[in-house]
Structure formats: structure tokens, C-alpha cells
Tab-separated table of all heavy atoms in Angstrom:
chain	number	residue	atom	x	y	z
A	835	LEU	N	85.377	213.114	59.377
A	835	LEU	CA	84.505	214.100	58.652
A	835	LEU	C	85.318	215.196	58.035
A	835	LEU	O	84.763	216.046	57.286
A	835	LEU	CB	83.555	214.715	59.659
A	835	LEU	CG	82.513	213.779	60.283
A	835	LEU	CD1	81.644	214.518	61.308
A	835	LEU	CD2	81.641	213.097	59.213
A	836	GLY	N	86.612	215.266	58.283
A	836	GLY	CA	87.429	216.336	57.698
A	836	GLY	C	87.299	217.670	58.374
A	836	GLY	O	87.656	218.703	57.805
A	837	LEU	N	86.810	217.655	59.586
A	837	LEU	CA	86.590	218.920	60.321
A	837	LEU	C	87.872	219.539	60.790
A	837	LEU	O	87.859	220.718	61.166
A	837	LEU	CB	85.647	218.710	61.486
A	837	LEU	CG	84.224	218.147	61.153
A	837	LEU	CD1	83.445	217.934	62.432
A	837	LEU	CD2	83.524	219.157	60.258
A	838	ASN	N	88.982	218.808	60.718
A	838	ASN	CA	90.286	219.366	61.160
A	838	ASN	C	91.006	220.055	60.012
A	838	ASN	O	92.027	220.685	60.246
A	838	ASN	CB	91.169	218.229	61.733
A	838	ASN	CG	90.609	217.657	62.994
A	838	ASN	OD1	89.880	218.307	63.763
A	838	ASN	ND2	90.889	216.369	63.236
A	839	GLU	N	90.444	219.900	58.807
A	839	GLU	CA	91.121	220.570	57.667
A	839	GLU	C	90.807	222.071	57.646
A	839	GLU	O	89.800	222.509	58.256
A	839	GLU	CB	90.542	219.943	56.386
A	839	GLU	CG	90.814	218.434	56.247
A	839	GLU	CD	92.257	218.126	56.032
A	839	GLU	OE1	93.024	219.052	55.655
A	839	GLU	OE2	92.674	216.955	56.241
A	840	PRO	N	91.598	222.863	56.961
A	840	PRO	CA	91.350	224.313	56.831
A	840	PRO	C	89.992	224.546	56.172
A	840	PRO	O	89.579	223.798	55.238
A	840	PRO	CB	92.509	224.798	55.983
A	840	PRO	CG	93.587	223.840	56.143
A	840	PRO	CD	92.883	222.485	56.346
A	841	ILE	N	89.277	225.583	56.606
A	841	ILE	CA	87.900	225.731	56.139
A	841	ILE	C	87.855	226.050	54.635
A	841	ILE	O	86.898	225.585	53.946
A	841	ILE	CB	87.248	226.899	56.929
A	841	ILE	CG1	85.709	226.906	56.614
A	841	ILE	CG2	87.883	228.226	56.634
A	841	ILE	CD1	84.897	227.794	57.547
A	842	LEU	N	88.873	226.714	54.100
A	842	LEU	CA	88.858	226.967	52.603
A	842	LEU	C	88.996	225.645	51.842
A	842	LEU	O	88.388	225.461	50.807
A	842	LEU	CB	89.976	227.998	52.283
A	842	LEU	CG	89.770	229.404	52.699
A	842	LEU	CD1	90.941	230.276	52.337
A	842	LEU	CD2	88.481	229.951	52.060
A	843	TRP	N	89.859	224.763	52.355
A	843	TRP	CA	90.014	223.454	51.702
A	843	TRP	C	88.713	222.664	51.789
A	843	TRP	O	88.317	222.056	50.770
A	843	TRP	CB	91.142	222.667	52.369
A	843	TRP	CG	91.512	221.402	51.604
A	843	TRP	CD1	92.474	221.297	50.701
A	843	TRP	CD2	90.872	220.128	51.775
A	843	TRP	NE1	92.463	219.987	50.184
A	843	TRP	CE2	91.544	219.256	50.871
A	843	TRP	CE3	89.840	219.612	52.566
A	843	TRP	CZ2	91.151	217.893	50.732
A	843	TRP	CZ3	89.475	218.333	52.441
A	843	TRP	CH2	90.160	217.430	51.551
A	844	ARG	N	88.061	222.740	52.932
A	844	ARG	CA	86.763	222.037	53.061
A	844	ARG	C	85.751	222.615	52.093
A	844	ARG	O	84.931	221.851	51.531
A	844	ARG	CB	86.283	222.182	54.505
A	844	ARG	CG	87.003	221.223	55.466
A	844	ARG	CD	86.898	221.708	56.896
A	844	ARG	NE	85.484	221.961	57.248
A	844	ARG	CZ	85.111	222.659	58.312
A	844	ARG	NH1	86.062	223.291	59.052
A	844	ARG	NH2	83.855	222.845	58.610
A	845	TYR	N	85.703	223.883	51.975
A	845	TYR	CA	84.749	224.559	51.061
A	845	TYR	C	85.036	224.133	49.604
A	845	TYR	O	84.060	223.755	48.865
A	845	TYR	CB	84.810	226.106	51.198
A	845	TYR	CG	84.107	226.832	50.115
A	845	TYR	CD1	82.714	226.750	49.994
A	845	TYR	CD2	84.807	227.516	49.116
A	845	TYR	CE1	82.035	227.399	48.953
A	845	TYR	CE2	84.144	228.194	48.096
A	845	TYR	CZ	82.766	228.120	48.040
A	845	TYR	OH	82.076	228.766	46.992
A	846	GLY	N	86.268	224.179	49.183
A	846	GLY	CA	86.613	223.770	47.839
A	846	GLY	C	86.236	222.282	47.534
A	846	GLY	O	85.715	221.962	46.498
A	847	HIS	N	86.513	221.445	48.567
A	847	HIS	CA	86.225	220.001	48.411
A	847	HIS	C	84.682	219.801	48.321
A	847	HIS	O	84.204	219.037	47.501
A	847	HIS	CB	86.774	219.224	49.634
A	847	HIS	CG	86.498	217.792	49.563
A	847	HIS	ND1	87.166	216.926	48.735
A	847	HIS	CD2	85.620	217.004	50.309
A	847	HIS	CE1	86.698	215.681	48.896
A	847	HIS	NE2	85.787	215.721	49.860
A	848	TRP	N	83.960	220.545	49.149
A	848	TRP	CA	82.491	220.451	49.162
A	848	TRP	C	81.893	220.944	47.821
A	848	TRP	O	80.976	220.291	47.241
A	848	TRP	CB	81.892	221.236	50.332
A	848	TRP	CG	80.439	221.333	50.347
A	848	TRP	CD1	79.516	220.400	50.695
A	848	TRP	CD2	79.639	222.510	50.034
A	848	TRP	NE1	78.231	220.866	50.581
A	848	TRP	CE2	78.259	222.181	50.161
A	848	TRP	CE3	79.973	223.799	49.576
A	848	TRP	CZ2	77.262	223.062	49.908
A	848	TRP	CZ3	78.971	224.698	49.307
A	848	TRP	CH2	77.581	224.314	49.485
A	849	LEU	N	82.395	222.100	47.357
A	849	LEU	CA	81.897	222.653	46.071
A	849	LEU	C	82.205	221.766	44.946
A	849	LEU	O	81.344	221.571	44.041
A	849	LEU	CB	82.486	224.055	45.897
A	849	LEU	CG	81.959	224.840	44.693
A	849	LEU	CD1	80.435	225.084	44.832
A	849	LEU	CD2	82.688	226.177	44.531
A	850	LEU	N	83.421	221.225	44.903
A	850	LEU	CA	83.777	220.227	43.812
A	850	LEU	C	82.875	219.008	43.858
A	850	LEU	O	82.431	218.513	42.820
A	850	LEU	CB	85.255	219.865	43.932
A	850	LEU	CG	85.759	218.914	42.840
A	850	LEU	CD1	85.672	219.545	41.456
A	850	LEU	CD2	87.196	218.507	43.158
A	851	GLY	N	82.633	218.478	45.041
A	851	GLY	CA	81.742	217.405	45.203
A	851	GLY	C	80.329	217.686	44.734
A	851	GLY	O	79.732	216.854	44.037
A	852	PHE	N	79.788	218.876	45.066
A	852	PHE	CA	78.433	219.230	44.573
A	852	PHE	C	78.445	219.316	43.048
A	852	PHE	O	77.534	218.864	42.392
A	852	PHE	CB	78.063	220.613	45.160
A	852	PHE	CG	76.702	221.059	44.740
A	852	PHE	CD1	75.555	220.623	45.433
A	852	PHE	CD2	76.497	221.887	43.652
A	852	PHE	CE1	74.295	221.020	45.062
A	852	PHE	CE2	75.243	222.290	43.270
A	852	PHE	CZ	74.147	221.859	43.965
A	853	ALA	N	79.483	219.856	42.420
A	853	ALA	CA	79.575	219.979	40.975
A	853	ALA	C	79.634	218.590	40.271
A	853	ALA	O	79.156	218.474	39.155
A	853	ALA	CB	80.810	220.810	40.552
A	854	THR	N	80.163	217.586	40.985
A	854	THR	CA	80.242	216.276	40.376
A	854	THR	C	79.164	215.310	40.884
A	854	THR	O	79.196	214.099	40.569
A	854	THR	CB	81.633	215.669	40.732
A	854	THR	OG1	81.826	215.640	42.169
A	854	THR	CG2	82.762	216.437	40.064
A	855	GLY	N	78.202	215.864	41.662
A	855	GLY	CA	77.072	215.063	42.136
A	855	GLY	C	77.299	214.345	43.446
A	855	GLY	O	76.437	213.561	43.901
A	856	ASP	N	78.428	214.600	44.136
A	856	ASP	CA	78.703	214.031	45.438
A	856	ASP	C	78.322	215.019	46.491
A	856	ASP	O	79.028	215.992	46.760
A	856	ASP	CB	80.192	213.682	45.548
A	856	ASP	CG	80.538	213.076	46.897
A	856	ASP	OD1	79.623	212.701	47.620
A	856	ASP	OD2	81.738	212.909	47.175
A	857	LEU	N	77.148	214.828	47.124
A	857	LEU	CA	76.635	215.715	48.134
A	857	LEU	C	77.045	215.379	49.539
A	857	LEU	O	76.685	216.040	50.504
A	857	LEU	CB	75.068	215.808	48.064
A	857	LEU	CG	74.508	216.164	46.685
A	857	LEU	CD1	73.005	216.238	46.745
A	857	LEU	CD2	75.087	217.468	46.151
A	858	GLY	N	77.843	214.324	49.707
A	858	GLY	CA	78.300	213.943	51.035
A	858	GLY	C	77.383	212.920	51.675
A	858	GLY	O	76.541	212.302	51.049
A	859	VAL	N	77.565	212.785	52.984
A	859	VAL	CA	76.828	211.745	53.742
A	859	VAL	C	76.056	212.439	54.878
A	859	VAL	O	76.592	213.390	55.537
A	859	VAL	CB	77.767	210.727	54.345
A	859	VAL	CG1	77.086	209.712	55.234
A	859	VAL	CG2	78.555	210.006	53.238
A	860	SER	N	74.865	212.014	55.131
A	860	SER	CA	74.034	212.605	56.215
A	860	SER	C	74.639	212.241	57.587
A	860	SER	O	75.083	211.078	57.815
A	860	SER	CB	72.625	212.037	56.126
A	860	SER	OG	71.868	212.391	57.298
A	861	LEU	N	74.662	213.242	58.450
A	861	LEU	CA	75.221	213.012	59.831
A	861	LEU	C	74.213	212.209	60.665
A	861	LEU	O	74.604	211.499	61.618
A	861	LEU	CB	75.500	214.338	60.486
A	861	LEU	CG	76.569	215.253	59.828
A	861	LEU	CD1	76.773	216.496	60.685
A	861	LEU	CD2	77.911	214.515	59.709
A	862	SER	N	72.893	212.350	60.373
A	862	SER	CA	71.912	211.744	61.253
A	862	SER	C	71.669	210.232	60.967
A	862	SER	O	71.359	209.516	61.886
A	862	SER	CB	70.582	212.488	61.068
A	862	SER	OG	70.102	212.405	59.738
A	863	ASN	N	71.894	209.803	59.738
A	863	ASN	CA	71.629	208.417	59.453
A	863	ASN	C	72.757	207.685	58.648
A	863	ASN	O	72.688	206.532	58.342
A	863	ASN	CB	70.310	208.214	58.729
A	863	ASN	CG	70.231	209.046	57.486
A	863	ASN	OD1	71.232	209.388	56.829
A	863	ASN	ND2	68.974	209.432	57.074
A	864	GLY	N	73.769	208.511	58.254
A	864	GLY	CA	74.936	207.926	57.506
A	864	GLY	C	74.650	207.564	56.057
A	864	GLY	O	75.523	206.946	55.434
A	865	GLN	N	73.479	207.927	55.601
A	865	GLN	CA	73.118	207.593	54.162
A	865	GLN	C	73.685	208.671	53.158
A	865	GLN	O	73.934	209.826	53.587
A	865	GLN	CB	71.599	207.506	54.056
A	865	GLN	CG	70.958	206.380	54.798
A	865	GLN	CD	69.506	206.299	54.624
A	865	GLN	OE1	68.855	207.113	53.895
A	865	GLN	NE2	68.853	205.252	55.149
A	866	ASP	N	73.837	208.195	51.959
A	866	ASP	CA	74.282	209.117	50.926
A	866	ASP	C	73.256	210.145	50.648
A	866	ASP	O	72.100	209.840	50.356
A	866	ASP	CB	74.605	208.317	49.624
A	866	ASP	CG	75.115	209.197	48.515
A	866	ASP	OD1	76.247	209.703	48.689
A	866	ASP	OD2	74.397	209.359	47.528
A	867	ILE	N	73.608	211.434	50.695
A	867	ILE	CA	72.659	212.538	50.557
A	867	ILE	C	72.048	212.593	49.189
A	867	ILE	O	70.823	212.804	48.984
A	867	ILE	CB	73.306	213.879	50.905
A	867	ILE	CG1	73.691	213.873	52.402
A	867	ILE	CG2	72.346	215.040	50.668
A	867	ILE	CD1	74.468	215.123	52.838
A	868	ALA	N	72.900	212.361	48.168
A	868	ALA	CA	72.432	212.397	46.757
A	868	ALA	C	71.297	211.434	46.537
A	868	ALA	O	70.332	211.715	45.868
A	868	ALA	CB	73.568	212.207	45.803
A	869	LYS	N	71.492	210.199	47.085
A	869	LYS	CA	70.449	209.182	46.904
A	869	LYS	C	69.130	209.562	47.656
A	869	LYS	O	68.072	209.379	47.077
A	869	LYS	CB	70.982	207.869	47.384
A	869	LYS	CG	70.040	206.672	47.126
A	869	LYS	CD	70.675	205.342	47.603
A	869	LYS	CE	71.896	205.026	46.855
A	869	LYS	NZ	72.489	203.722	47.248
A	870	SER	N	69.294	210.073	48.807
A	870	SER	CA	68.134	210.478	49.603
A	870	SER	C	67.408	211.661	48.955
A	870	SER	O	66.156	211.706	48.934
A	870	SER	CB	68.516	210.856	51.043
A	870	SER	OG	69.165	209.799	51.677
A	871	VAL	N	68.186	212.626	48.489
A	871	VAL	CA	67.622	213.866	47.888
A	871	VAL	C	66.916	213.560	46.537
A	871	VAL	O	65.921	214.147	46.195
A	871	VAL	CB	68.671	214.911	47.672
A	871	VAL	CG1	68.220	215.977	46.735
A	871	VAL	CG2	69.012	215.553	49.036
């Protein structure tokens, strides 16, 4: 999940993903969040 990475790096990666339409994966069911949303 990348939880061992520095928090600023995780934030930048998450923000870049949101800007490009990659919202990550749901922890509860493993599905792509963008598709579910």
C-alpha cells in the first residue's frame, strides 16, 4: 500500500493520481475507486 513511504511523497503521489483520474483502490473490496465512484 506504500504506507512505509514518507508522508509527503504519499501525498504527492495521491494528488497526482487524483489529477490524472487514478483514485486508488478500495481497502474494503479491492475494486478500483474511480470505477466505483
Side-chain angles (χ1 to χ4, degrees):
L835 297 176
L837 298 177
N838 296 329
E839 301 290 343
I841 190 168
L842 288 178
W843 188 93
R844 285 160 49 200
Y845 168 68
H847 180 74
W848 173 75
L849 186 61
L850 180 62
F852 182 84
T854 57
D856 180 12
L857 304 183
V859 177
S860 170
L861 298 181
S862 59
N863 54 29
Q865 294 183 356
D866 182 68
I867 296 175
K869 186 178 295 184
S870 302
V871 163

